[in-house]
mmCIF file of all heavy atoms in Angstrom:
data_model
loop_
_atom_site.group_PDB
_atom_site.id
_atom_site.type_symbol
_atom_site.label_atom_id
_atom_site.label_comp_id
_atom_site.label_asym_id
_atom_site.label_seq_id
_atom_site.Cartn_x
_atom_site.Cartn_y
_atom_site.Cartn_z
ATOM 1 N N ALA A 80 -6.009 5.444 -6.717
ATOM 2 C CA ALA A 80 -4.586 5.123 -6.845
ATOM 3 C C ALA A 80 -4.351 3.620 -6.724
ATOM 4 O O ALA A 80 -3.537 3.047 -7.451
ATOM 5 C CB ALA A 80 -3.772 5.871 -5.790
ATOM 6 N N VAL A 81 -5.065 2.967 -5.805
ATOM 7 C CA VAL A 81 -4.925 1.514 -5.642
ATOM 8 C C VAL A 81 -5.450 0.805 -6.882
ATOM 9 O O VAL A 81 -4.822 -0.122 -7.391
ATOM 10 C CB VAL A 81 -5.649 1.028 -4.363
ATOM 11 C CG1 VAL A 81 -5.712 -0.484 -4.310
ATOM 12 C CG2 VAL A 81 -4.947 1.578 -3.130
ATOM 13 N N ASN A 82 -6.590 1.244 -7.400
ATOM 14 C CA ASN A 82 -7.132 0.653 -8.626
ATOM 15 C C ASN A 82 -6.143 0.776 -9.782
ATOM 16 O O ASN A 82 -5.975 -0.149 -10.556
ATOM 17 C CB ASN A 82 -8.461 1.304 -9.005
ATOM 18 C CG ASN A 82 -9.604 0.844 -8.127
ATOM 19 O OD1 ASN A 82 -9.560 -0.251 -7.556
ATOM 20 N ND2 ASN A 82 -10.624 1.669 -8.005
ATOM 21 N N GLU A 83 -5.490 1.931 -9.901
ATOM 22 C CA GLU A 83 -4.496 2.133 -10.956
ATOM 23 C C GLU A 83 -3.300 1.221 -10.748
ATOM 24 O O GLU A 83 -2.760 0.675 -11.712
ATOM 25 C CB GLU A 83 -4.049 3.596 -10.999
ATOM 26 C CG GLU A 83 -5.089 4.511 -11.596
ATOM 27 C CD GLU A 83 -4.628 5.959 -11.636
ATOM 28 O OE1 GLU A 83 -3.410 6.201 -11.717
ATOM 29 O OE2 GLU A 83 -5.497 6.837 -11.595
ATOM 30 N N GLN A 84 -2.863 1.032 -9.495
ATOM 31 C CA GLN A 84 -1.744 0.136 -9.195
ATOM 32 C C GLN A 84 -2.086 -1.291 -9.619
ATOM 33 O O GLN A 84 -1.284 -1.975 -10.241
ATOM 34 C CB GLN A 84 -1.409 0.165 -7.701
ATOM 35 C CG GLN A 84 -0.351 -0.845 -7.316
ATOM 36 C CD GLN A 84 -0.260 -1.068 -5.824
ATOM 37 O OE1 GLN A 84 -1.140 -0.695 -5.061
ATOM 38 N NE2 GLN A 84 0.805 -1.713 -5.404
ATOM 39 N N PHE A 85 -3.299 -1.747 -9.302
ATOM 40 C CA PHE A 85 -3.703 -3.102 -9.648
ATOM 41 C C PHE A 85 -3.840 -3.260 -11.164
ATOM 42 O O PHE A 85 -3.463 -4.282 -11.731
ATOM 43 C CB PHE A 85 -5.000 -3.484 -8.950
ATOM 44 C CG PHE A 85 -4.865 -3.630 -7.448
ATOM 45 C CD1 PHE A 85 -5.997 -3.699 -6.663
ATOM 46 C CD2 PHE A 85 -3.632 -3.693 -6.814
ATOM 47 C CE1 PHE A 85 -5.903 -3.849 -5.281
ATOM 48 C CE2 PHE A 85 -3.518 -3.831 -5.438
ATOM 49 C CZ PHE A 85 -4.655 -3.910 -4.667
ATOM 50 N N ALA A 86 -4.393 -2.255 -11.830
ATOM 51 C CA ALA A 86 -4.519 -2.305 -13.288
ATOM 52 C C ALA A 86 -3.136 -2.352 -13.941
ATOM 53 O O ALA A 86 -2.908 -3.114 -14.884
ATOM 54 C CB ALA A 86 -5.318 -1.112 -13.795
ATOM 55 N N SER A 87 -2.216 -1.570 -13.424
ATOM 56 C CA SER A 87 -0.845 -1.578 -13.933
ATOM 57 C C SER A 87 -0.187 -2.936 -13.701
ATOM 58 O O SER A 87 0.553 -3.432 -14.555
ATOM 59 C CB SER A 87 -0.037 -0.471 -13.250
ATOM 60 O OG SER A 87 1.304 -0.524 -13.652
ATOM 61 N N ALA A 88 -0.452 -3.545 -12.551
ATOM 62 C CA ALA A 88 0.105 -4.867 -12.248
ATOM 63 C C ALA A 88 -0.415 -5.906 -13.236
ATOM 64 O O ALA A 88 0.347 -6.754 -13.719
ATOM 65 C CB ALA A 88 -0.232 -5.273 -10.816
ATOM 66 N N LEU A 89 -1.698 -5.849 -13.577
ATOM 67 C CA LEU A 89 -2.248 -6.774 -14.578
ATOM 68 C C LEU A 89 -1.572 -6.577 -15.933
ATOM 69 O O LEU A 89 -1.283 -7.537 -16.639
ATOM 70 C CB LEU A 89 -3.754 -6.569 -14.729
ATOM 71 C CG LEU A 89 -4.658 -7.276 -13.740
ATOM 72 C CD1 LEU A 89 -6.113 -6.873 -13.963
ATOM 73 C CD2 LEU A 89 -4.501 -8.778 -13.825
ATOM 74 N N GLU A 90 -1.318 -5.324 -16.273
ATOM 75 C CA GLU A 90 -0.682 -5.033 -17.558
ATOM 76 C C GLU A 90 0.776 -5.474 -17.589
ATOM 77 O O GLU A 90 1.353 -5.604 -18.668
ATOM 78 C CB GLU A 90 -0.805 -3.549 -17.892
ATOM 79 C CG GLU A 90 -2.223 -3.136 -18.241
ATOM 80 C CD GLU A 90 -2.808 -3.949 -19.390
ATOM 81 O OE1 GLU A 90 -2.141 -4.100 -20.439
ATOM 82 O OE2 GLU A 90 -3.936 -4.449 -19.232
ATOM 83 N N SER A 91 1.392 -5.732 -16.433
ATOM 84 C CA SER A 91 2.776 -6.207 -16.414
ATOM 85 C C SER A 91 2.884 -7.638 -16.923
ATOM 86 O O SER A 91 3.972 -8.087 -17.277
ATOM 87 C CB SER A 91 3.366 -6.107 -14.997
ATOM 88 O OG SER A 91 2.858 -7.128 -14.146
ATOM 89 N N LEU A 92 1.765 -8.340 -16.963
ATOM 90 C CA LEU A 92 1.772 -9.711 -17.486
ATOM 91 C C LEU A 92 1.931 -9.706 -19.003
ATOM 92 O O LEU A 92 1.402 -8.822 -19.678
ATOM 93 C CB LEU A 92 0.461 -10.414 -17.139
ATOM 94 C CG LEU A 92 0.230 -10.751 -15.679
ATOM 95 C CD1 LEU A 92 -1.201 -11.245 -15.476
ATOM 96 C CD2 LEU A 92 1.225 -11.809 -15.220
ATOM 97 N N PRO A 93 2.609 -10.712 -19.544
ATOM 98 C CA PRO A 93 2.694 -10.800 -21.003
ATOM 99 C C PRO A 93 1.413 -11.354 -21.618
ATOM 100 O O PRO A 93 1.232 -11.286 -22.826
ATOM 101 C CB PRO A 93 3.864 -11.766 -21.226
ATOM 102 C CG PRO A 93 3.847 -12.646 -20.029
ATOM 103 C CD PRO A 93 3.412 -11.745 -18.884
ATOM 104 N N HIS A 94 0.524 -11.875 -20.800
ATOM 105 C CA HIS A 94 -0.713 -12.496 -21.273
ATOM 106 C C HIS A 94 -1.769 -11.442 -21.591
ATOM 107 O O HIS A 94 -1.883 -10.445 -20.895
ATOM 108 C CB HIS A 94 -1.273 -13.442 -20.217
ATOM 109 C CG HIS A 94 -0.265 -14.407 -19.705
ATOM 110 N ND1 HIS A 94 0.618 -14.082 -18.686
ATOM 111 C CD2 HIS A 94 0.027 -15.673 -20.055
ATOM 112 C CE1 HIS A 94 1.396 -15.115 -18.447
ATOM 113 N NE2 HIS A 94 1.064 -16.097 -19.260
ATOM 114 N N ARG A 95 -2.548 -11.728 -22.612
ATOM 115 C CA ARG A 95 -3.672 -10.882 -22.980
ATOM 116 C C ARG A 95 -4.869 -11.787 -23.233
ATOM 117 O O ARG A 95 -4.709 -12.969 -23.509
ATOM 118 C CB ARG A 95 -3.361 -10.066 -24.255
ATOM 119 C CG ARG A 95 -2.219 -9.065 -24.078
ATOM 120 C CD ARG A 95 -2.597 -7.961 -23.096
ATOM 121 N NE ARG A 95 -1.535 -7.023 -22.838
ATOM 122 C CZ ARG A 95 -0.718 -7.063 -21.790
ATOM 123 N NH1 ARG A 95 -0.801 -8.017 -20.907
ATOM 124 N NH2 ARG A 95 0.202 -6.144 -21.606
ATOM 125 N N PRO A 96 -6.063 -11.229 -23.129
ATOM 126 C CA PRO A 96 -7.236 -12.043 -23.447
ATOM 127 C C PRO A 96 -7.094 -12.601 -24.875
ATOM 128 O O PRO A 96 -6.547 -11.905 -25.728
ATOM 129 C CB PRO A 96 -8.393 -11.052 -23.353
ATOM 130 C CG PRO A 96 -7.892 -9.986 -22.413
ATOM 131 C CD PRO A 96 -6.412 -9.881 -22.699
ATOM 132 N N PRO A 97 -7.502 -13.806 -25.091
ATOM 133 C CA PRO A 97 -8.278 -14.662 -24.203
ATOM 134 C C PRO A 97 -7.443 -15.544 -23.285
ATOM 135 O O PRO A 97 -7.992 -16.406 -22.605
ATOM 136 C CB PRO A 97 -9.078 -15.530 -25.179
ATOM 137 C CG PRO A 97 -8.146 -15.708 -26.334
ATOM 138 C CD PRO A 97 -7.409 -14.389 -26.448
ATOM 139 N N PHE A 98 -6.116 -15.345 -23.235
ATOM 140 C CA PHE A 98 -5.302 -16.214 -22.386
ATOM 141 C C PHE A 98 -4.910 -15.567 -21.063
ATOM 142 O O PHE A 98 -4.157 -16.130 -20.295
ATOM 143 C CB PHE A 98 -4.060 -16.715 -23.120
ATOM 144 C CG PHE A 98 -3.496 -17.963 -22.500
ATOM 145 C CD1 PHE A 98 -4.110 -19.185 -22.703
ATOM 146 C CD2 PHE A 98 -2.375 -17.898 -21.692
ATOM 147 C CE1 PHE A 98 -3.613 -20.338 -22.112
ATOM 148 C CE2 PHE A 98 -1.870 -19.045 -21.098
ATOM 149 C CZ PHE A 98 -2.488 -20.262 -21.307
ATOM 150 N N ARG A 99 -5.413 -14.409 -20.746
ATOM 151 C CA ARG A 99 -5.206 -13.861 -19.398
ATOM 152 C C ARG A 99 -6.420 -14.270 -18.578
ATOM 153 O O ARG A 99 -7.547 -13.925 -18.906
ATOM 154 C CB ARG A 99 -5.047 -12.352 -19.402
ATOM 155 C CG ARG A 99 -4.795 -11.856 -17.966
ATOM 156 C CD ARG A 99 -4.302 -10.451 -17.861
ATOM 157 N NE ARG A 99 -5.247 -9.519 -18.449
ATOM 158 C CZ ARG A 99 -4.910 -8.291 -18.820
ATOM 159 N NH1 ARG A 99 -3.688 -7.851 -18.697
ATOM 160 N NH2 ARG A 99 -5.811 -7.508 -19.334
ATOM 161 N N PHE A 100 -6.174 -15.001 -17.501
ATOM 162 C CA PHE A 100 -7.246 -15.551 -16.687
ATOM 163 C C PHE A 100 -7.456 -14.795 -15.384
ATOM 164 O O PHE A 100 -8.134 -15.288 -14.502
ATOM 165 C CB PHE A 100 -7.006 -17.036 -16.418
ATOM 166 C CG PHE A 100 -6.915 -17.831 -17.686
ATOM 167 C CD1 PHE A 100 -5.734 -18.423 -18.062
ATOM 168 C CD2 PHE A 100 -8.007 -17.941 -18.526
ATOM 169 C CE1 PHE A 100 -5.653 -19.144 -19.241
ATOM 170 C CE2 PHE A 100 -7.940 -18.658 -19.712
ATOM 171 C CZ PHE A 100 -6.746 -19.266 -20.066
ATOM 172 N N LEU A 101 -6.887 -13.623 -15.271
ATOM 173 C CA LEU A 101 -7.125 -12.761 -14.113
ATOM 174 C C LEU A 101 -8.009 -11.606 -14.546
ATOM 175 O O LEU A 101 -7.685 -10.898 -15.497
ATOM 176 C CB LEU A 101 -5.818 -12.183 -13.578
ATOM 177 C CG LEU A 101 -4.912 -13.114 -12.808
ATOM 178 C CD1 LEU A 101 -3.617 -12.389 -12.442
ATOM 179 C CD2 LEU A 101 -5.587 -13.633 -11.575
ATOM 180 N N ASP A 102 -9.106 -11.434 -13.855
ATOM 181 C CA ASP A 102 -9.980 -10.302 -14.151
ATOM 182 C C ASP A 102 -9.742 -9.139 -13.215
ATOM 183 O O ASP A 102 -10.023 -7.996 -13.553
ATOM 184 C CB ASP A 102 -11.449 -10.736 -14.067
ATOM 185 C CG ASP A 102 -11.805 -11.627 -15.227
ATOM 186 O OD1 ASP A 102 -11.704 -11.168 -16.378
ATOM 187 O OD2 ASP A 102 -12.160 -12.794 -14.985
ATOM 188 N N ARG A 103 -9.240 -9.457 -12.030
ATOM 189 C CA ARG A 103 -8.970 -8.361 -11.093
ATOM 190 C C ARG A 103 -7.937 -8.813 -10.064
ATOM 191 O O ARG A 103 -7.744 -9.999 -9.829
ATOM 192 C CB ARG A 103 -10.239 -7.893 -10.412
ATOM 193 C CG ARG A 103 -10.828 -8.882 -9.444
ATOM 194 C CD ARG A 103 -12.037 -8.301 -8.702
ATOM 195 N NE ARG A 103 -12.333 -9.120 -7.555
ATOM 196 C CZ ARG A 103 -13.381 -9.935 -7.463
ATOM 197 N NH1 ARG A 103 -14.239 -10.028 -8.459
ATOM 198 N NH2 ARG A 103 -13.564 -10.631 -6.373
ATOM 199 N N ILE A 104 -7.300 -7.828 -9.478
ATOM 200 C CA ILE A 104 -6.404 -8.036 -8.335
ATOM 201 C C ILE A 104 -7.024 -7.298 -7.170
ATOM 202 O O ILE A 104 -7.377 -6.126 -7.279
ATOM 203 C CB ILE A 104 -4.985 -7.515 -8.632
ATOM 204 C CG1 ILE A 104 -4.360 -8.333 -9.776
ATOM 205 C CG2 ILE A 104 -4.117 -7.588 -7.382
ATOM 206 C CD1 ILE A 104 -3.018 -7.811 -10.237
ATOM 207 N N ASP A 105 -7.184 -7.998 -6.049
ATOM 208 C CA ASP A 105 -7.820 -7.417 -4.871
ATOM 209 C C ASP A 105 -6.810 -6.983 -3.808
ATOM 210 O O ASP A 105 -7.107 -6.113 -2.999
ATOM 211 C CB ASP A 105 -8.793 -8.424 -4.246
ATOM 212 C CG ASP A 105 -9.885 -8.818 -5.218
ATOM 213 O OD1 ASP A 105 -10.350 -7.956 -5.989
ATOM 214 O OD2 ASP A 105 -10.280 -10.000 -5.222
ATOM 215 N N ALA A 106 -5.643 -7.622 -3.785
ATOM 216 C CA ALA A 106 -4.592 -7.277 -2.824
ATOM 217 C C ALA A 106 -3.260 -7.673 -3.439
ATOM 218 O O ALA A 106 -3.173 -8.684 -4.149
ATOM 219 C CB ALA A 106 -4.805 -8.008 -1.502
ATOM 220 N N LEU A 107 -2.221 -6.875 -3.152
ATOM 221 C CA LEU A 107 -0.916 -7.124 -3.746
ATOM 222 C C LEU A 107 0.170 -6.610 -2.815
ATOM 223 O O LEU A 107 0.124 -5.457 -2.374
ATOM 224 C CB LEU A 107 -0.817 -6.414 -5.107
ATOM 225 C CG LEU A 107 0.479 -6.528 -5.880
ATOM 226 C CD1 LEU A 107 0.800 -7.985 -6.210
ATOM 227 C CD2 LEU A 107 0.383 -5.698 -7.163
ATOM 228 N N SER A 108 1.123 -7.497 -2.492
ATOM 229 C CA SER A 108 2.283 -7.098 -1.700
ATOM 230 C C SER A 108 3.514 -7.737 -2.334
ATOM 231 O O SER A 108 3.420 -8.420 -3.351
ATOM 232 C CB SER A 108 2.132 -7.559 -0.245
ATOM 233 O OG SER A 108 2.342 -8.957 -0.134
ATOM 234 N N ASP A 109 4.665 -7.544 -1.703
ATOM 235 C CA ASP A 109 5.895 -8.147 -2.218
ATOM 236 C C ASP A 109 5.930 -9.658 -2.030
ATOM 237 O O ASP A 109 6.763 -10.333 -2.628
ATOM 238 C CB ASP A 109 7.113 -7.529 -1.541
ATOM 239 C CG ASP A 109 7.362 -6.109 -2.006
ATOM 240 O OD1 ASP A 109 6.839 -5.724 -3.074
ATOM 241 O OD2 ASP A 109 8.081 -5.383 -1.297
ATOM 242 N N GLU A 110 5.063 -10.199 -1.201
ATOM 243 C CA GLU A 110 5.091 -11.631 -0.885
ATOM 244 C C GLU A 110 3.819 -12.385 -1.258
ATOM 245 O O GLU A 110 3.816 -13.614 -1.243
ATOM 246 C CB GLU A 110 5.353 -11.829 0.611
ATOM 247 C CG GLU A 110 6.655 -11.215 1.091
ATOM 248 C CD GLU A 110 7.869 -11.839 0.418
ATOM 249 O OE1 GLU A 110 7.876 -13.072 0.222
ATOM 250 O OE2 GLU A 110 8.813 -11.100 0.086
ATOM 251 N N SER A 111 2.732 -11.680 -1.560
ATOM 252 C CA SER A 111 1.473 -12.381 -1.804
ATOM 253 C C SER A 111 0.533 -11.519 -2.642
ATOM 254 O O SER A 111 0.776 -10.331 -2.850
ATOM 255 C CB SER A 111 0.802 -12.743 -0.480
ATOM 256 O OG SER A 111 0.445 -11.576 0.228
ATOM 257 N N ALA A 112 -0.541 -12.163 -3.081
ATOM 258 C CA ALA A 112 -1.571 -11.436 -3.833
ATOM 259 C C ALA A 112 -2.877 -12.218 -3.760
ATOM 260 O O ALA A 112 -2.882 -13.436 -3.566
ATOM 261 C CB ALA A 112 -1.157 -11.242 -5.282
ATOM 262 N N ARG A 113 -3.965 -11.474 -3.916
ATOM 263 C CA ARG A 113 -5.301 -12.063 -4.060
ATOM 264 C C ARG A 113 -5.931 -11.463 -5.299
ATOM 265 O O ARG A 113 -5.757 -10.279 -5.587
ATOM 266 C CB ARG A 113 -6.176 -11.746 -2.847
ATOM 267 C CG ARG A 113 -5.846 -12.545 -1.624
ATOM 268 C CD ARG A 113 -6.909 -12.411 -0.524
ATOM 269 N NE ARG A 113 -7.493 -11.091 -0.397
ATOM 270 C CZ ARG A 113 -7.034 -10.130 0.415
ATOM 271 N NH1 ARG A 113 -5.977 -10.341 1.170
ATOM 272 N NH2 ARG A 113 -7.643 -8.962 0.463
ATOM 273 N N GLY A 114 -6.648 -12.299 -6.009
ATOM 274 C CA GLY A 114 -7.320 -11.825 -7.207
ATOM 275 C C GLY A 114 -8.441 -12.766 -7.583
ATOM 276 O O GLY A 114 -8.762 -13.699 -6.843
ATOM 277 N N ALA A 115 -9.027 -12.534 -8.749
ATOM 278 C CA ALA A 115 -10.162 -13.352 -9.172
ATOM 279 C C ALA A 115 -10.178 -13.525 -10.682
ATOM 280 O O ALA A 115 -9.767 -12.639 -11.434
ATOM 281 C CB ALA A 115 -11.467 -12.712 -8.726
#
């Protein structure tokens, strides 16, 4: 479920490869996020 939430969050961006520079989201809250 967390993996699906993070994947959905990435898809909320208007960016797509090759201009999306996020490969993953590791943590996500209303105030912060970590990714790579």
Side-chain angles (χ1 to χ4, degrees):
V81 170
N82 285 335
E83 286 180 28
Q84 174 194 15
F85 292 167
S87 176
L89 276 175
E90 289 304 311
S91 75
L92 290 171
H94 309 84
R95 296 294 177 262
F98 201 76
R99 182 166 59 199
F100 301 113
L101 286 176
D102 289 299
R103 69 175 196 252
I104 296 174
D105 300 323
L107 179 60
S108 74
D109 288 341
E110 301 298 320
S111 64
R113 285 192 323 268

